[in-house]
Amino acid sequence: MCGIVGIVSKKYNILPSLIDGLKNLEYRGYDSAGVAYFINNNLKIIKEKGTVKNLENKIDFKEKVNIGIAHTRWATHGNANKINAHPHNVNHITIVHNGIIENCNELKKDLKDYNYTFKSNTDTEIACAYLSYCYDQNKNIHMTIERFMDKVKGSYAIALLIDNDDKNIYLLKKESPLIIGLGKDTNYIASDITAILNYTNKYISLDDFQYAKVNYKDILVYNKSGDVLKKKINEYKSKNIVTGKAHYKHYMLKEIIEQKKVISNTIFPYLEKGIKSLLKLPNLTKYNQINIIGCGSAMHAGLVAKYLFREFTNTKCEVFLASEFRYQNNFLTTDTFNIFISQSGETADTLQAAKLIKEKKLDSLGIINAKESSITKVVDTSLYIEVGPEISVASTKAYSAQVAILALLVLSHGYRNKTISSKQTESIINEFKKINVFINKMSNKKDQYKMIAKKIYKEEHAFYIGRGLDYALCMEGSLKLKEVSYIHSEAYAAGELKHGAISLINKNMPVFSSATNDKLNSKTVSNLEEVISRGANVFLITDDKNLIDKSYETIIIPNVSIFLKGILVVIPYQLIAYYTAVLKGTNIDKPKNLAKSVTVE
Ligand code: AGP
């Protein structure tokens, strides 16, 4: 949701790195940005509405600075403007914050009784005022933080400066992520490792109700009672991932093209020695139902797995939106296995759903990209997708890697359940070993995708229709187009359209579809005929060359097992959305109103 960076160094030259770190976090939110630092023991705060570039233009990089905190915001409380931008300062205390203070109104009322006034309408300023109120009681930061943690409800990752202490940055954490990067005569603070990978890959993760005191040579981590804790030093290892955009114009395109490499990275450990490797995946045979929980694209990856579980393992599988899961009866039993899918591992809805399952002592698994993220600390175990940092807000490589690892999980389950034979299993494993070749084939159809984008980019609405697995893929295709091109689109079960929504079909309206299931394709084509006869402009993705027809544009995918089709069909959807957004000139990597990691409910 928001990005936090802090640096404290022996050297007086941290401003460029502070802003560089902020730029690496801008995908988390880009409504406003700000920085606070000491210069000659005086605190200076600069903040601007809009992107980090706007802030950068206001900074004098000649200033000799060795300690500072910075923030890039995705507005939750209060508009995206300069007044509400972080850092916030109240008396001795200055903070940047990621999260939501749920009892901020109660706190504000109490503080007003003590004559506190507020300039902004953010929960963060209230949190800062409460910290300041507690600190003014005894000038003891340990007691201040302990009191804050006892009183304040909600989620927070806070980096804090005290104006009579220009040597230390203080941190406190509950539910929102916060790490400490270890450098040489310099230590770093960040919401996630991607902010500081240019400076260090060694880091400590704070856990809930822990706080820290950081200067250029020491890092002290405490629990709420003030006991010093021994924390593990992690090392971020991204398998030959190129950070930055390389030669690409946008992270989104880079991450789509990276798929052939990062998906192979993710699944190869489960393929290299055939079935023996596949069986390294968790054994689910003792469960009679698989629940999959996530948000957005992560949930859409679950929909693909749901189809495969039901079709090929004879096991009941349900997919839940994490934001709904906690507020409904899910008939949970010990025979249910719960899979939480999250690229960031920080999505608040998914994290809270995972905590619910943990409280009920039910079995769980995370399929996560960000190591050491909050969800990985709640689930029993995690399967990591090795795709490296996904910077573009629109998820592409993470979604595809989630689909790939879920497909292998289904395959291993079907093999164990004997609903998939050894021969079929080996054959599908061998196809997965060539996944990069198939992905490359799909990524190389750029001219066709650009031609389609040219046909649709002026349209205001689009439909994505399909049956079975193809319907699940429509959900992801539709989200990609909406997110980056701002064209309204809707995913619809192909067979359902005629029961009402077909009234919306107008001349030239784009209708995307995929037909990858011989048993269903003829019905899907009939549904396409229904919309074509009402003027729609149809684009069909299929592996069945017999479906090629002059009345619509056809994108052919390789004829592979259904276990791989989900990954291949979505590539045209990703690239058509991308090229459409290029023609529309939108902010592709940082679409309006969005943030990469939604750490509020
Ligand atoms: C997908 O393109 C979106 N950025 C969004 O739906 C995302 O998938 C969702 O917020 C879940 O994020 P997570 O995978 O980090 O939990």
Side-chain angles (χ1 to χ4, degrees):
M1 186 62 88
C2 299
I4 291 174
V5 180
I7 302 178
V8 52
S9 176
K10 193 174 180 184
K11 300 183 280 290
Y12 283 74
N13 62 354
I14 68 155
L15 283 177
S17 313
L18 208 51
I19 296 304
D20 175 59
L22 220 45
K23 284 180 179 171
N24 292 332
L25 282 183
E26 212 169 4
Y27 66 90
R28 297 172 64 93
Y30 27 89
D31 292 330
S32 61
V35 64
Y37 54 86
F38 286 109
I39 178 93
N40 310 320
N41 203 17
N42 294 316
L43 183 75
K44 190 166 184 180
I45 296 177
I46 304 168
K47 39 194 197 182
E48 278 302 324
K49 179 176 170 13
T51 63
V52 174
K53 189 73 192 150
N54 295 355
L55 173 70
E56 187 175 22
N57 295 337
K58 301 287 182 188
I59 289 177
D60 174 2
F61 287 97
K62 292 191 291 304
E63 289 192 318
K64 302 278 174 240
V65 175
N66 77 319
I67 178 170
I69 56 176
H71 184 271
T72 182
R73 182 173 183 242
W74 186 77
T76 54
H77 287 68
N79 295 341
N81 58 29
K82 193 168 173 178
I83 289 278
N84 292 330
H86 302 200
H88 287 279
N89 163 270
V90 178
N91 302 337
H92 302 289
I93 303 291
T94 300
I95 70 170
V96 290
H97 164 232
N98 175 27
I100 283 206
I101 307 298
E102 290 178 355
N103 59 335
C104 59
N105 293 331
E106 173 203 328
L107 288 169
K108 187 171 188 173
K109 198 167 125 322
D110 295 349
L111 289 160
K112 278 185 170 170
D113 293 347
Y114 291 99
N115 301 320
Y116 281 83
T117 56
F118 298 90
K119 298 186 282 296
S120 80
N121 39 27
T122 64
D123 56 341
T124 303
E125 188 186 11
I126 296 165
C128 188
Y130 187 66
L131 283 160
S132 175
Y133 164 75
C134 297
Y135 185 72
D136 288 347
Q137 308 297 309
N138 47 38
K139 298 287 184 289
N140 179 317
I141 191 62
H142 296 268
M143 292 169 72
T144 295
I145 291 175
E146 185 180 346
R147 208 166 151 189
F148 180 92
M149 288 184 165
D150 283 338
K151 175 82 175 174
V152 171
K153 296 184 182 61
S155 57
Y156 49 82
I158 291 175
L160 180 155
L161 295 176
I162 305 175
D163 64 7
N164 56 13
D165 173 359
D166 65 351
K167 298 282 181 291
N168 296 292
I169 298 176
Y170 297 88
L171 310 175
L172 44 155
K173 187 251 192 244
K174 177 178 171 265
E175 291 177 13
S176 295
L178 202 49
I179 65 165
I180 302 165
L182 287 75
K184 186 172 175 348
D185 290 336
T186 303
N187 285 315
Y188 304 85
I189 283 91
S191 300
D192 68 51
I193 189 69
T194 49
I196 53 174
L197 269 181
N198 294 339
Y199 310 102
T200 181
N201 68 344
K202 290 184 179 53
Y203 66 98
I204 291 167
S205 282
L206 285 189
D207 293 318
D208 285 357
F209 295 111
Q210 290 181 354
Y211 67 96
K213 175 180 176 182
V214 182
N215 56 49
Y216 77 81
K217 58 182 188 311
D218 301 317
I219 296 171
L220 288 170
V221 178
Y222 305 86
N223 63 17
K224 199 167 78 168
S225 329
D227 308 318
V228 177
L229 302 173
K230 192 144 178 44
K231 293 289 283 185
K232 183 176 84 157
I233 296 176
N234 306 292
E235 197 162 316
Y236 183 86
K237 288 194 183 67
S238 55
K239 286 185 177 162
N240 53 43
I241 296 292
V242 176
T243 52
K245 278 190 276 195
H247 61 282
Y248 295 96
K249 195 153 178 287
H250 300 102
Y251 277 107
M252 183 177 178
L253 183 57
K254 170 179 177 267
E255 290 161 0
I256 291 169
I257 301 306
E258 262 176 350
Q259 287 180 125
K260 56 180 174 291
K261 178 173 56 178
V262 297
I263 289 173
S264 298
N265 285 350
T266 297
I267 61 177
F268 190 68
Y270 308 106
L271 302 172
E272 53 186 334
K273 296 193 182 75
I275 290 176
K276 186 165 174 287
S277 302
L278 183 72
L279 297 182
K280 289 193 291 192
L281 289 166
N283 186 331
L284 310 180
T285 49
K286 69 177 186 175
Y287 303 102
N288 64 16
Q289 173 160 328
I290 312 282
N291 284 346
I292 300 177
I293 303 106
C295 302
S297 293
M299 188 275 278
H300 296 162
L303 293 175
V304 174
K306 169 183 161 183
Y307 177 82
L308 296 174
F309 267 119
R310 289 180 169 207
E311 281 298 300
F312 298 98
T313 71
N314 199 27
T315 305
K316 193 163 179 256
C317 177
E318 289 298 347
V319 176
F320 299 90
L321 282 171
S323 53
E324 292 292 309
F325 185 74
R326 291 170 70 206
Y327 305 109
Q328 63 188 30
N329 181 355
N330 298 308
F331 304 102
L332 298 169
T333 70
T334 50
D335 298 331
T336 312
F337 187 69
N338 304 279
I339 301 175
F340 294 91
I341 306 176
S342 177
Q343 185 283 130
S344 63
E346 298 298 346
T347 298
D349 292 322
T350 312
L351 174 61
Q352 295 307 325
K355 286 185 172 179
L356 174 75
I357 290 296
K358 185 180 176 111
E359 281 157 24
K360 292 180 179 296
K361 298 185 175 20
L362 298 175
D363 296 349
S364 63
L365 168 75
I367 294 184
I368 310 285
N369 188 30
K371 293 184 175 60
E372 290 294 315
S373 52
S374 302
I375 293 172
T376 65
K377 296 175 184 167
V378 174
V379 294
D380 298 336
T381 54
S382 290
L383 285 178
Y384 289 105
I385 56 169
E386 299 293 344
V387 300
E390 185 176 66
I391 304 300
S392 187
V393 167
S395 183
T396 50
K397 62 179 181 174
Y399 164 85
S400 299
Q402 288 158 0
V403 169
I405 206 161
L406 282 161
L408 291 182
L409 188 60
V410 174
L411 185 61
S412 66
H413 186 49
Y415 174 79
R416 288 186 170 113
N417 266 3
K418 299 191 182 353
T419 51
I420 304 176
S421 71
S422 307
K423 191 163 172 291
Q424 282 172 311
T425 304
E426 289 291 2
S427 157
I428 295 167
I429 287 173
N430 290 332
E431 277 197 342
F432 266 111
K433 284 180 179 173
K434 295 180 287 188
I435 188 81
N436 55 328
V437 173
F438 301 128
I439 290 174
N440 209 32
K441 263 201 187 117
M442 294 314 297
S443 309
N444 286 345
K445 296 171 183 272
K446 291 192 178 69
D447 294 342
Q448 189 177 19
Y449 305 145
K450 286 178 181 173
M451 177 273 290
I452 293 170
K454 225 177 174 70
K455 283 187 177 177
I456 72 163
Y457 81 101
K458 290 191 176 125
E459 296 296 327
E460 286 181 25
H461 306 281
F463 268 101
Y464 289 72
I465 66 172
R467 290 170 178 262
L469 176 68
D470 293 304
Y471 177 35
L473 299 170
C474 285
M475 302 285 275
E476 180 57 14
S478 170
L479 179 60
K480 289 293 93 61
L481 187 72
K482 280 182 278 202
E483 272 192 299
V484 296
S485 76
Y486 309 154
I487 293 175
H488 170 253
S489 77
E490 201 166 343
Y492 231 86
E496 182 63 12
L497 200 68
K498 57 187 176 293
H499 297 287
I502 199 166
S503 67
L504 295 172
I505 298 293
N506 288 322
K507 186 161 173 35
N508 294 333
M509 181 184 276
V511 173
F512 293 92
S513 180
S514 60
T516 61
N517 182 334
D518 300 344
K519 288 184 286 184
L520 299 172
N521 287 352
S522 57
K523 291 192 185 327
T524 299
V525 172
S526 305
N527 300 139
L528 295 178
E529 293 302 341
E530 288 155 11
V531 297
I532 289 169
S533 61
R534 288 163 176 81
N537 204 354
V538 166
F539 306 93
L540 174 65
I541 304 166
T542 182
D543 56 339
D544 182 351
K545 292 196 170 100
N546 298 322
L547 300 184
I548 291 174
D549 187 287
K550 63 186 181 323
S551 59
Y552 48 75
E553 179 72 23
T554 308
I555 299 165
I556 294 295
I557 67 169
N559 187 359
V560 293
S561 150
I562 188 94
F563 280 75
L564 286 80
K565 283 180 181 170
I567 300 160
L568 301 184
V569 165
V570 84
I571 293 170
Y573 284 152
Q574 293 168 344
L575 284 168
I576 289 166
Y578 172 75
Y579 289 120
T580 303
V582 168
L583 290 172
K584 294 202 67 180
T586 58
N587 189 337
I588 291 173
D589 286 331
K590 295 179 281 196
K592 65 180 167 67
N593 305 339
L594 289 181
K596 181 64 181 173
S597 176
V598 186
T599 54
V600 291
E601 291 179 60

